[in-house]
């Protein structure tokens, strides 16, 4: 009897999306098959996130569904991978009888063996964190496409006081530059047009004498028609060298995700973010000077312990000052084991909600205004495919990560670069008309973009 069809659902950040592809690579090497239907599966795996309480609640809800499925199919193996597996460990199998497998982010190599354990009726548990595991030699299983994620480092040593990641992902470690560049080459040969290099704090990437700027340059030089993105840069150690590297390479996108978290120095200190607003603003200024047209996005937390109305107003102030192109905005959620968990969660739910709404409203207004500035300009767009709303339109993105919708032209293939004149803009989307095919291998194009 063969029981080997695996169904995977992925939650959380891009790193989990990349890990799911590593897991697929590992399982495929051992002869497991993939299915896209849970009903059809022998093994259901949830690659989970612990970043906020509601992320975990969603998984518990999903486990309820799989409990029903298991009722009609008792031999089904249900596994939890990722950050929740690491955070809750064997409590998960003790508290949730439906769970047969608990495998943390550094133990995916053992999945085939642990699945065997579960087939034999035991619980398969692998939750050790590693100081060295980078899955360097595993070829992730990726569907063909234009866009790929690639983890260049794992773990985090920053210990921001609100954050569970250092506990779920362990210590910081980098993958070798040579193996990353090799993978980028393979992706270029397969026709991928955009690679996003991933790490919780890519600025601390290191492989012998190479730092993140060297890595970015090496990836950018593989194929000048391939866009290189990356996330996340911590504001403490974004170097001048990195800014210059971005400016010098036309295909390294002019887009920096630079999470500020709060506009108040007092809160930043309590968060252990290790920078001040003054330092942060100087970085923004320096980036804008070195990289003309650079766009910024950020992460913001509303309602961190002791946050006053004045602190909140400082957050609104920094948003107005920087004028971010986009932001990911969250209510503070206490996470057990973190330093902030021991502080009193003293901002009421209602106040958190109100502040978050004000932050979201302001960001929408800023994004709208920023996008209006692009009316009448020609933007270079990587064509990603049909628009979600209509087959008559194409959707693509600018180098600064803005979605552009324009009337479909049959002679233009997915994956080509075109120049589009913008004639309408909302806070989230740009609209325009096709002008010409864009020659992205030509450096002068940076002037148009
Ligand atoms: N390494 C990245 C962040 C990864 S987590 C960085 O340092 O920027 C993504 C975002 O989730 C964080 O930037 C933060 O804004 C948010 N976040 C993390 N822990 C949180 C918590 N306990 N409550 C609310 N938001 C949180
Ligand atoms: Fe979490 Fe801070 Fe590390 Fe980002 S840098 S993953 S917020 S501890
Ligand atoms: Fe979530 Fe883990 Fe990513 S907690 S945000 S999946 S690193």
């Amino acid at each position: 009897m063969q029981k080997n069809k695996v169904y995977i659902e992925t939650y959380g950040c891009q790193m989990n999306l990349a890990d799911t592809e590593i897991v697929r690579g590992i399982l495929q090497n051992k002869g497991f098959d993939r299915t896209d239907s849970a009903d059809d599966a022998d093994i259901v795996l949830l690659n989970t996130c612990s970043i906020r309480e509601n992320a975990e609640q969603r998984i518990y809800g999903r486990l309820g569904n799989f409990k029903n499925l298991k009722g009609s199919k008792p031999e089904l193996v249900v596994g939890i991978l990722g950050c929740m597996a690491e955070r809750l460990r064997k409590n998960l199998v003790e508290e949730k009888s439906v769970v047969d497998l608990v495998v943390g982010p550094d133990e995916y190599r053992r999945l085939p063996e642990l699945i065997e354990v579960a087939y034999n009726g035991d619980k398969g548990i692998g939750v050790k964190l590693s100081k060295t595991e980078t899955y360097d030699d595993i070829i992730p299983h990726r569907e063909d496409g234009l866009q790929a994620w690639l983890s260049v480092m794992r773990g985090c040593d920053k210990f921001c006081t609100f954050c569970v990641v250092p506990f779920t992902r362990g210590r910081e470690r980098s993958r070798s530059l040579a193996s990353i560049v090799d993978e980028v080459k393979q992706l270029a040969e397969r026709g991928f047009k955009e690679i996003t290099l991933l790490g919780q704090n890519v600025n601390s990437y290191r492989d012998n004498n190479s730092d993140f700027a060297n890595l970015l340059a090496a990836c950018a030089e593989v194929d000048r028609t391939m866009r290189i993105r990356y996330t996340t840069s911590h504001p403490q150690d974004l170097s001048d060298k990195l800014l210059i590297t971005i400016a010098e390479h036309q295909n390294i996108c002019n887009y920096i995700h630079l999470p500020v978290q709060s506009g108040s120095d007092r809160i930043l200190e309590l968060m252990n973010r290790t920078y001040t607003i003054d330092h942060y603003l100087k970085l923004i200024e320096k980036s804008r000077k070195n990289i003309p047209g650079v766009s910024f996005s950020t992460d913001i937390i509303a309602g961190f312990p002791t946050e006053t109305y004045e602190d909140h107003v400082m957050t609104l102030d920094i948003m107005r000052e920087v004028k971010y192109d986009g932001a990911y905005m969250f209510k503070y959620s206490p996470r057990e084991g973190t330093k902030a968990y021991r502080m009193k969660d003293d901002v009421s739910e209602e106040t958190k909600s109100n502040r978050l709404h004000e932050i979201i409203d302001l960001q929408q207004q800023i994004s709208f205004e920023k996008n209006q500035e692009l009316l009448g300009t020609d933007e270079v767009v990587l064509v990603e495919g049909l628009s979600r709303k209509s087959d008559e339109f194409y959707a693509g993105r600018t180098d600064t990560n803005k979605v552009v919708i324009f009337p479909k032209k049959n002679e233009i293939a997915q994956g080509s670069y075109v120049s589009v004149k913008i004639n309408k803009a909302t806070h989230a989307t740009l609209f325009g008309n096709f002008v010409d095919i864009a020659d992205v291998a030509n450096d002068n194009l940076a002037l148009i973009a």
Side-chain angles (χ1 to χ4, degrees), residues 138-168:
I138 303 280
I139 300 171
H141 177 77
R142 291 191 183 88
E143 299 295 300
D144 285 332
L146 294 177
Q147 202 278 335
W149 311 109
L150 208 163
S151 293
V152 300
M153 51 191 301
R154 302 181 69 86
C156 183
D157 287 351
K158 285 274 177 210
F159 287 94
C160 302
T161 58
F162 51 79
C163 185
V164 76
V165 172
F167 303 95
T168 62

Side-chain angles (χ1 to χ4, degrees), residues 382-425:
L382 170 61
V383 181
E384 293 176 359
L386 292 174
S387 135
R388 253 181 287 161
K389 291 195 182 141
S390 161
D391 289 355
E392 305 291 306
F393 289 83
Y394 271 150
R397 260 176 313 143
T398 64
D399 152 286
T400 53
N401 214 20
K402 292 177 191 279
V403 175
V404 180
I405 308 286
F406 63 98
K408 179 178 163 190
K409 285 206 164 297
N410 286 332
E411 64 273 27
I412 299 170
Q414 262 183 39
S416 31
Y417 289 92
V418 296
S419 169
V420 174
K421 190 177 282 303
I422 306 303
N423 58 26
K424 192 179 134 194

Side-chain angles (χ1 to χ4, degrees), residues 112-129:
E113 163 206 333
L114 293 168
I115 288 173
E116 209 49 51
V117 170
Y119 277 157
N120 292 330
D122 290 325
K123 303 286 184 183
I125 300 180
V127 289
K128 276 210 209 74
L129 286 170

Side-chain angles (χ1 to χ4, degrees), residues 51-52 160 162-165 199-201 232-234 257 259 261 273 299-301 328 330-335:
I51 200 84
R52 285 167 291 275
C160 302
F162 51 79
C163 185
V164 76
V165 172
Q200 294 298 353
N201 172 21
T232 302
S233 271
H234 190 288
H257 182 60
Q261 313 296 359
R273 286 293 288 183
D299 293 348
I300 292 172
I301 298 179
Y328 301 89
F330 314 101
K331 271 192 259 185
Y332 170 69
S333 168
R335 310 309 291 135

